[in-house]
Amino acid sequence: MNEAISNFNQKELSGRDARLWKEWHELDSLCNKRKAAAENPRKPSLSYIIRRKNVMGLPTEYEIWYRVKSIVGVEETPIPRKPVFGYLHKMSIVLPNNYPSADGNPIFTFRTDIWHPNIRYSGSFKGHVCLTIKEMGVLASLKDLVLRVERYLKYQLYHAQNTYPYPEDQNVAEWVREEGEPNGWIRFGQDMSDDMGHTSATDNSRESALTVKSSSKIIARKI
C-alpha cells in the first residue's frame, strides 16, 4: 500500500472522508497491479496523479493516465474516413464537495483527444465523459468507473444509436454507425479481460470492439 494511504487510520474516518480514503486505496491497488504486470513498469496501462486534496489530505481531484490503443480522431478525407490512433490518454476526475450523493457525481473529463460517441470531441464541453449510470457517485465505485472508461477507449462499450441515453457526441456517433462499424474500424480492442472480471461484452447498440491502421490527419468537427 502507498505509504501516504497507510498513514491514515481508517477507523477514525467517517462519511465522505471514509469514502475518499477507500476509493484512493482501491485505485492505488489497481494501478499497482497494472504496474506489476507491465513489461515496462514506468509505463503501466493505468496510472494516476493526485491533483488536489481536501484539508484532511484525501484526494478530491485525480489525473488518470491510460496507455491503451484508442481512436483520437479521423482523417479529413476521403469518405469513409479512417480512424487515427493514439496510445496515451489523460483524463481528470473531479470529486465535488457533495460527493458521493445523487447530485454529487464525479466529473470525468479527457484532457487529450478521444473519438468515442460517449465522450465529447469538441466544443465548450470538449472531453466530457458520459458514463450513462444513474447516481453513479452513489452506486458505482471510482475504480469501477475508471475501468468502465478504459472499456470505452477500447470500444468494448459504446452507445452510438440515436436513442436513450443518447450519444454524448452526435458527430462521432454518426461516424461510428455509418463509417466505423460498416468497415470494422472500431473492432480493435477485443481483449475483454479487465479487473472487474469481465471476459466478454457485446450488446448490439452499446458494446463492441477490434482492428485498424493509423494515419496523420485528424478532423476536429464542432457540434
Side-chain angles (χ1 to χ4, degrees), residues 98-180:
N98 58 342
Y99 173 85
S101 69
D103 296 322
N105 287 328
I107 302 166
F108 286 53
T109 308
F110 270 94
R111 302 306 182 190
T112 54
D113 287 343
I114 296 294
W115 186 262
H116 186 282
N118 306 120
I119 300 170
R120 189 69 64 95
Y121 187 75
S122 60
S124 57
F125 294 99
K126 177 179 172 64
H128 177 260
V129 182
C130 180
L131 288 159
T132 64
I133 299 176
K134 292 182 179 180
E135 297 182 338
M136 63 183 183
V138 177
L139 303 178
S141 73
L142 204 59
K143 184 192 85 169
D144 288 349
L145 294 175
V146 166
L147 289 171
R148 183 178 179 85
V149 173
E150 184 177 51
R151 299 182 74 201
Y152 278 13
L153 296 178
K154 296 178 180 181
Y155 268 81
Q156 293 171 358
L157 281 174
Y158 67 92
H159 182 67
Q161 298 302 315
N162 195 25
T163 57
Y164 183 82
Y166 299 102
E168 177 69 18
D169 192 304
Q170 291 289 346
N171 287 329
V172 178
E174 181 180 349
W175 178 87
V176 169
R177 296 192 307 267
E178 299 184 7
E179 300 172 57

Side-chain angles (χ1 to χ4, degrees), residues 31-81:
C31 291
N32 282 334
K33 182 179 177 182
R34 294 294 184 88
K35 183 177 180 180
E39 291 184 10
N40 183 350
R42 293 186 177 183
K43 295 183 178 181
S45 60
L46 187 65
S47 57
Y48 75 94
I49 299 170
I50 296 172
R51 291 300 187 192
R52 186 175 301 168
K53 298 181 179 181
N54 65 7
V55 294
M56 289 289 292
L58 294 163
T60 57
E61 183 176 344
Y62 294 92
E63 183 172 291
I64 307 296
W65 287 26
Y66 295 97
R67 286 184 174 88
V68 298
K69 181 179 182 180
S70 189
I71 304 175
V72 298
V74 295
E75 292 180 342
E76 293 183 1
T77 55
I79 293 178
R81 297 160 297 163

